[in-house]
Amino acid sequence: MSQTRFAPRVFSGIQPSGGLTLGNYLGALKRFVDMQDTGDFETIYCMVDLHAITVWQDPEKLRHNTRELAAGFIASGIDPEKSVLINQSQVPEHAQLGWVFNCVARMGWMGRMTQWKDKAGKNAEKASLGLFAYPSLMAADILVYHATHVPVGEDQKQHLELTRDIATKFNHDYGVDFFPITEPVIEGAATRVMSLRDGSKKMSKSDPSDASRINMTDDADTIAKKIRKAKTDPEALPSEADGLKDRPEARNLVNIYAAMANMSVDQVLAEHGGAQFGTFKPALADLAVAHLAPISTEMARLMDDTAEIDRILARGAERARAITAPILKQTYEIIGMVAPVEA
Ligand code: TYM
């Protein structure tokens, strides 16, 4: 089927289920800004509050976290004029198309999702039905815009494959070429930022150890201290990427440096190869502080005026619905829903 008729459109989302980490920033936010600024795409970015409630959220905290995440997007460089910035629950077509996709996706597909298996653990019986259906709503987030490209970190790859499966099955079952087969965009040195305490674990907001991650709201001293204390090995840095193969902690710090400095790993090693961590870590800390401190200051400033954040989100929802309402309407026509009588 021809996929050429779809205009280049980017969609991506982040859960407002706690603070942002350096992993979210390098794996997602910074790349969202880059894609916005190329001007090659229409860009739509989303706080996915309906995904967050697949596990219990304190209502007041969720509201706060959603606004703080919006502030994080804007402080990182998302311009709400250039991009459409939205909160998922304010654009009802996401959930409406999500239901349709619940009827397209198969139980077996959902059961194979590693994130479901990790999060539900041994106690799947007690997990919410929403957690199981999570990837189907994610497919709806993307496809309700006919988005063609989705920048994410490595951990979302399987969900994006499922999005392609849902689009393919829908198009096949109804004999249409209606939904695009979306391209995941998983690029750069930091698509999987690892814990600072354990190079085999992803940096995550849910890790019980705060020392394992850099939070976007950490102050300069905290950032420098966490990097100084990051787990490493006693060797000097190699001068070529190959030398990082069996050194996950060293590789992680070099990847972080590369992503933040907009350099390749080879370029970082050309500059720092042979250096001990006693030298490299302070250089990395300086870079991280220079990069993150202005963002966290701007986030705090934006959070002083939450009414303005709410206005930005209301405007974003209005712009989003100009895209999503017609796509949902066409979907309903395709699947045989009776259309409402025009007033
Ligand atoms: P979430 O909220 O867990 O993470 C948001 C984004 O940050 C990336 N990320 C990382 N990247 C590199 N290293 C890390 N340690 C790291 N931790 C997180 C994630 O890959 C993601 O890109 N299901 C999604 C949210 C979502 C979504 C969507 C994304 C809902 N609908 C539609 C894209 C399109 C999630 O839970 O992301």
Side-chain angles (χ1 to χ4, degrees), residues 3-11 35 38-44 145-150 180:
Q3 291 285 316
T4 49
R5 68 188 175 82
F6 297 104
R9 189 177 275 161
V10 164
F11 178 92
M35 289 187 96
T38 62
D40 293 342
F41 304 92
E42 190 178 351
T43 43
I44 301 150
Y145 296 92
H146 280 179
T148 53
H149 294 79
V150 184

Side-chain angles (χ1 to χ4, degrees), residues 1 26 46 63 77 80 108 135-136 147-148 164 169 184 224 228 259-260 271-273 275 287 303 316 320:
M1 276 187 210
L26 295 177
C46 185
R63 224 184 318 275
S136 163
T148 53
R164 292 164 67 94
K169 182 161 164 55
R228 214 169 43 239
M260 216 139 38
E271 239 173 63
H272 295 274
L287 184 65
M303 283 302 280

Side-chain angles (χ1 to χ4, degrees), residues 133-307:
Y134 182 113
S136 163
L137 179 59
M138 187 164 155
D141 294 338
I142 297 165
L143 295 173
V144 79
Y145 296 92
H146 280 179
T148 53
H149 294 79
V150 184
V152 283
E154 185 70 43
D155 60 344
Q156 296 300 314
K157 192 169 174 209
Q158 196 187 27
H159 287 160
L160 293 190
E161 280 160 10
L162 190 116
T163 299
R164 292 164 67 94
D165 291 343
I166 289 178
T168 304
K169 182 161 164 55
F170 182 98
N171 288 345
H172 176 266
D173 287 357
Y174 292 99
V176 290
D177 179 20
F178 184 63
F179 287 116
I181 309 304
T182 305
E183 290 295 331
V185 185
I186 304 175
E187 285 169 2
T191 55
R192 192 167 173 80
V193 177
M194 308 309 279
S195 155
L196 298 179
R197 308 298 312 158
D198 177 351
S200 69
K201 262 171 58 185
K202 190 183 77 166
M203 182 181 286
S204 160
K205 51 193 150 199
S206 54
D207 193 313
S209 158
D210 192 58
S212 71
R213 64 181 160 264
I214 292 174
N215 304 300
M216 297 288 286
T217 46
D218 283 344
D219 60 27
D221 283 351
T222 310
I223 294 174
K225 196 162 112 205
K226 285 179 177 176
I227 292 179
R228 214 169 43 239
K229 290 202 163 165
K231 185 174 167 208
T232 42
D233 56 45
E235 309 285 312
L237 282 180
S239 45
E240 278 169 23
D242 237 19
L244 290 171
K245 235 177 27 214
D246 300 316
R247 300 175 62 188
E249 282 87 12
R251 187 172 61 227
N252 189 38
L253 295 188
V254 172
N255 282 346
I256 292 173
Y257 192 107
M260 216 139 38
N262 287 325
M263 288 164 84
S264 69
V265 167
D266 285 329
Q267 284 170 326
V268 175
L269 293 177
E271 239 173 63
H272 295 274
Q276 297 290 338
F277 281 105
T279 323
F280 184 68
K281 279 180 172 177
L284 178 60
D286 285 350
L287 184 65
V289 168
H291 215 93
L292 299 180
I295 299 178
S296 73
T297 308
E298 180 62 3
M299 275 173 80
R301 193 191 67 77
L302 291 164
M303 283 302 280
D304 279 344
D305 186 1
T306 54

Side-chain angles (χ1 to χ4, degrees), residues 81-95:
E81 292 302 317
K82 279 196 210 161
S83 293
V84 178
L85 183 63
I86 51 163
N87 180 33
Q88 192 184 30
S89 62
Q90 292 175 16
V91 182
E93 289 78 12
H94 289 235

